[in-house]
Amino acid sequence: LKHFTLREDVKVGTVIGSLGISNAPDMQLRYSIVEGDGSLQFGIKSSSGELYVAQHLDYEVTQRYFLVVRAEAPPSFNTTAFVAISVVDVNDHTPWFPGNDNFVVFGVYEDVTNGTVVYVFNAHDGDGSLRNSELYYSLTYDPDPAIEGLPLYIDPHTGVIKTNVPLDREHTKKIVFRVTVSDNAEEPNDRKQTSVIAQVILLDINDNSPTFVSTEMACVPEDTEVGLLVHHVVAKDEDEG
């Protein structure tokens, strides 16, 4: 059994090896692929026994091929060689978010407890190997001065978004941030990534009591006519609605 290994992005026509028969008699051999699941993807030069790529390969479709090659010199010599070809994955797919939407909006009630899961980003990668399809998430945004600390946290392995500080709609009505997902190709320069912008709308709850904003006292002359306005009582509530 002869074994070859090549990357899935190898160019069509590339020679991947030779099947020269060492124990062949001193005569002109003719090589041919007689069977195997890679008979369309690979070819062999009949005079030299050089095996070459005949079609584009795709690791996500097939990772391994087998060929049966015959070398013959009629009428007396005939031999068979078995060939295994392993395809190596290349990081040729970029991570993507379902729906291919680059903007996400969702709501969160302002009274959720710290550490509450508020959203889950679930990206995908079309590469077939674990290394090239393993995904990592990160979150970045311009911090709002009205919020102390980082309001949201993302788990780099699962894409789960959790609250990181208490939220208050009366101070901040929305939070805008960017989530980036990157694969884990062996070479940092080969890694691919995709980003999505997200906006969190903080939903109001009735967590504020009404308060008076008018003065507590009013002075009224003793000869004020009946029915005249003597004071305007004003109250307000910080909650929405």
Side-chain angles (χ1 to χ4, degrees), residues 6-28:
L6 64 158
R7 290 162 53 101
E8 64 174 319
D9 61 351
V10 64
K11 293 182 179 179
V12 172
T14 299
V15 174
I16 64 175
S18 176
L19 294 180
I21 305 300
S22 59
N23 61 346
D26 188 15
M27 59 181 68
Q28 184 66 39

Side-chain angles (χ1 to χ4, degrees), residues 1 14 18 29 52 59 63 77 110 123 126 138 146-147 165 169 190 192-193 222 234 240:
L1 177 68
T14 299
S18 176
L29 294 178
Y52 63 90
Y59 176 90
Q63 294 86 43
F77 183 80
E110 63 175 321
S138 61
I147 301 178
V165 297
R169 192 208 66 87
D190 293 337
K192 301 180 184 298
Q193 64 181 34
E222 63 178 324
V234 179
E240 187 177 32

Side-chain angles (χ1 to χ4, degrees), residues 144-147 167-175 201-202:
D144 189 325
I147 301 178
L167 305 177
D168 188 350
R169 192 208 66 87
E170 284 68 51
H171 287 83
T172 303
K173 292 180 172 58
K174 63 182 179 181
I175 303 170
I201 306 299
L202 298 188

Side-chain angles (χ1 to χ4, degrees), residues 91-97 100 123-127 132-136 180-184 191-195:
N91 191 31
D92 55 351
H93 292 271
T94 300
W96 53 277
F97 291 98
N100 292 320
H124 303 277
D125 192 296
D127 286 302
N132 290 333
S133 62
E134 187 176 18
L135 301 178
Y136 290 92
T180 300
V181 60
S182 173
D183 59 33
N184 192 35
R191 293 173 185 171
K192 301 180 184 298
Q193 64 181 34
T194 299
S195 295

Side-chain angles (χ1 to χ4, degrees), residues 13-238:
T14 299
V15 174
I16 64 175
S18 176
L19 294 180
I21 305 300
S22 59
N23 61 346
D26 188 15
M27 59 181 68
Q28 184 66 39
L29 294 178
R30 306 298 292 179
Y31 296 87
S32 62
I33 298 174
V34 294
E35 61 179 296
D37 58 2
S39 57
L40 297 178
Q41 288 76 16
F42 301 94
I44 193 167
K45 296 181 180 180
S46 61
S47 59
S48 64
E50 289 181 324
L51 198 64
Y52 63 90
V53 179
Q55 291 185 1
H56 289 290
L57 305 178
D58 189 345
Y59 176 90
E60 285 70 49
V61 175
T62 306
Q63 294 86 43
R64 193 175 179 89
Y65 295 93
F66 293 95
L67 300 173
V68 178
V69 176
R70 178 175 297 157
E72 53 188 343
S76 59
F77 183 80
N78 186 316
T79 187
T80 299
F82 298 94
V83 180
I85 302 171
S86 297
V87 181
V88 177
D89 187 38
V90 173
N91 191 31
D92 55 351
H93 292 271
T94 300
W96 53 277
F97 291 98
N100 292 320
D101 193 356
N102 59 0
F103 192 75
V104 175
V105 180
F106 58 95
V108 177
Y109 282 102
E110 63 175 321
D111 65 338
V112 296
T113 58
N114 195 13
T116 297
V117 175
V118 296
Y119 199 81
V120 179
F121 286 92
N122 185 22
H124 303 277
D125 192 296
D127 286 302
S129 65
L130 176 61
R131 186 66 183 264
N132 290 333
S133 62
E134 187 176 18
L135 301 178
Y136 290 92
Y137 299 86
S138 61
L139 184 154
T140 57
Y141 63 98
D142 295 327
D144 189 325
I147 301 178
E148 295 183 2
L150 304 178
L152 300 172
Y153 163 82
I154 190 167
D155 187 303
H157 302 286
T158 63
V160 172
I161 297 282
K162 296 181 179 181
T163 56
N164 206 37
V165 297
L167 305 177
D168 188 350
R169 192 208 66 87
E170 284 68 51
H171 287 83
T172 303
K173 292 180 172 58
K174 63 182 179 181
I175 303 170
V176 179
F177 59 93
R178 178 189 300 271
V179 170
T180 300
V181 60
S182 173
D183 59 33
N184 192 35
E186 185 173 359
E187 295 296 329
N189 291 337
D190 293 337
R191 293 173 185 171
K192 301 180 184 298
Q193 64 181 34
T194 299
S195 295
V196 61
I197 301 297
Q199 178 175 280
V200 181
I201 306 299
L202 298 188
L203 305 176
D204 188 45
I205 65 161
N206 189 25
D207 58 347
N208 290 282
S209 299
T211 58
F212 289 103
V213 295
S214 55
T215 59
E216 297 179 358
M217 297 181 60
C219 296
V220 182
E222 63 178 324
D223 59 350
T224 299
E225 296 182 10
V226 175
L228 289 180
L229 176 68
V230 296
H231 190 54
H232 185 195
V233 178
V234 179
K236 70 173 184 177
D237 192 307
E238 296 292 343

